[in-house]
Amino acid sequence: VADDLGDRPESVEVLYMLSTRQRDRLEERTGAVSTLHRGLRLSQKNGPALTDLGDLYAEDDQYNEAVTIYRHLLRVDEDEATASPAAVHLSVLLEDKMQDVPAAREVLEQARERFPKAPAVLERLVVHLRRETRCREAREILEALIAREDLAASRVGYRLHLADLVLESFPPQPGGATVTVVGFDVEGMTGPQTALEGSPISQWVEGEIEILGTVGGAVLTVYDNPSA
């Protein structure tokens, strides 16, 4: 069908559908790459096609090619639905496979400027901030995510991540004393929960949990005051 359509606009969608079939059903990855390139010659701003091509290259350990495709997508695609996940994919690739953490962080910062409310970008940025012990910035992002009604389904996971962040932001108490946390909402945080990528899994026990500001008398109190 694509051959019959030639260079007509309709062939772009047909080629994309063919590449999906080649990849998922026929396991013809090389053929899928070739088909995607053919479609992109007709439409260089096709976000889904660029995403699939970048993913295929990354899965086949062709990291330089994947980076090139993701960067091109971020230059030409203004759609948050495709561009923000591509930014996260690129960031992870740069960090994990190419050991270029500064470049990975730059990609996330640029994506945040373009898409300030994109959850995937913000979640990945929290991982970086947490690693850099920039706990206040990470906490502010998580609290903003928790407050969003459109992300209510993910609220428990964000709370879990925030609780871990608060707890690890302070040195252990002398003598292995238990740290009590005060002023933190842990509603709905009992039982197995899913944490964000890169965060440890907390185990919550039965009974009252008071979450942990400032440390005194083995108590860490959480403050909303920025000067705390």
Side-chain angles (χ1 to χ4, degrees), residues 4-227:
D4 293 339
L5 292 172
D7 292 343
R8 291 164 58 184
E10 296 89 335
S11 65
V12 173
E13 183 62 28
V14 173
L15 288 168
Y16 181 68
M17 293 171 62
L18 174 59
S19 71
T20 301
R21 184 179 182 85
Q22 289 173 311
R23 181 195 64 200
D24 297 339
R25 296 188 181 183
L26 303 178
E27 298 185 359
E28 296 178 358
R29 298 175 66 84
T30 301
V33 169
S34 178
T35 300
L36 287 168
H37 274 294
R38 182 180 170 187
L40 288 167
R41 284 194 291 270
L42 300 176
S43 176
Q44 297 182 5
K45 298 182 179 182
N46 188 325
L50 287 166
T51 298
D52 286 1
L53 183 58
D55 291 349
L56 281 168
Y57 278 137
E59 291 165 7
D60 289 341
D61 298 338
Q62 299 183 60
Y63 303 129
N64 289 325
E65 290 82 354
V67 167
T68 298
I69 294 298
Y70 289 141
R71 288 196 183 280
H72 174 67
L73 187 157
L74 291 174
R75 285 195 300 270
V76 302
D77 193 348
E78 298 296 329
D79 186 357
E80 179 179 327
T82 49
S84 62
V88 174
H89 291 178
L90 176 57
S91 174
V92 172
L93 185 61
L94 288 168
E95 181 177 355
D96 294 349
K97 302 300 182 181
M98 308 187 82
Q99 288 74 55
D100 194 342
V101 176
R105 176 63 180 277
E106 182 181 14
V107 167
L108 291 175
E109 294 288 3
Q110 291 174 346
R112 187 186 185 186
E113 290 181 9
R114 292 178 61 190
F115 311 113
K117 294 187 176 182
V121 172
L122 295 172
E123 290 167 11
R124 187 65 190 177
L125 186 57
V126 165
V127 174
H128 279 254
L129 292 170
R130 186 171 178 172
R131 187 186 302 124
E132 297 167 13
T133 65
R134 296 169 63 179
C135 299
R136 184 176 295 280
E137 295 172 68
R139 177 183 163 188
E140 289 173 353
I141 291 174
L142 286 169
E143 288 175 339
L145 289 169
I146 290 169
R148 286 173 54 176
E149 292 300 327
D150 61 319
L151 299 176
S154 302
R155 197 167 282 160
V156 169
Y158 293 142
R159 283 174 172 161
L160 176 59
H161 199 175
L162 181 56
D164 283 337
L165 176 65
V166 170
L167 287 168
E168 73 180 19
S169 300
F170 297 86
Q173 298 299 299
T178 299
V179 177
T180 300
V181 191
V182 178
F184 187 77
D185 179 14
V186 293
E187 181 183 356
M189 293 182 64
T190 58
Q193 304 293 350
T194 300
L196 295 177
E197 178 182 357
S199 78
I201 303 299
S202 291
Q203 298 296 323
W204 298 93
V205 297
E206 291 295 328
E208 183 178 356
I209 301 174
E210 294 183 314
I211 296 220
L212 305 184
T214 57
V215 177
V219 175
L220 170 60
T221 303
V222 177
Y223 291 106
D224 292 328
N225 185 345
S227 63

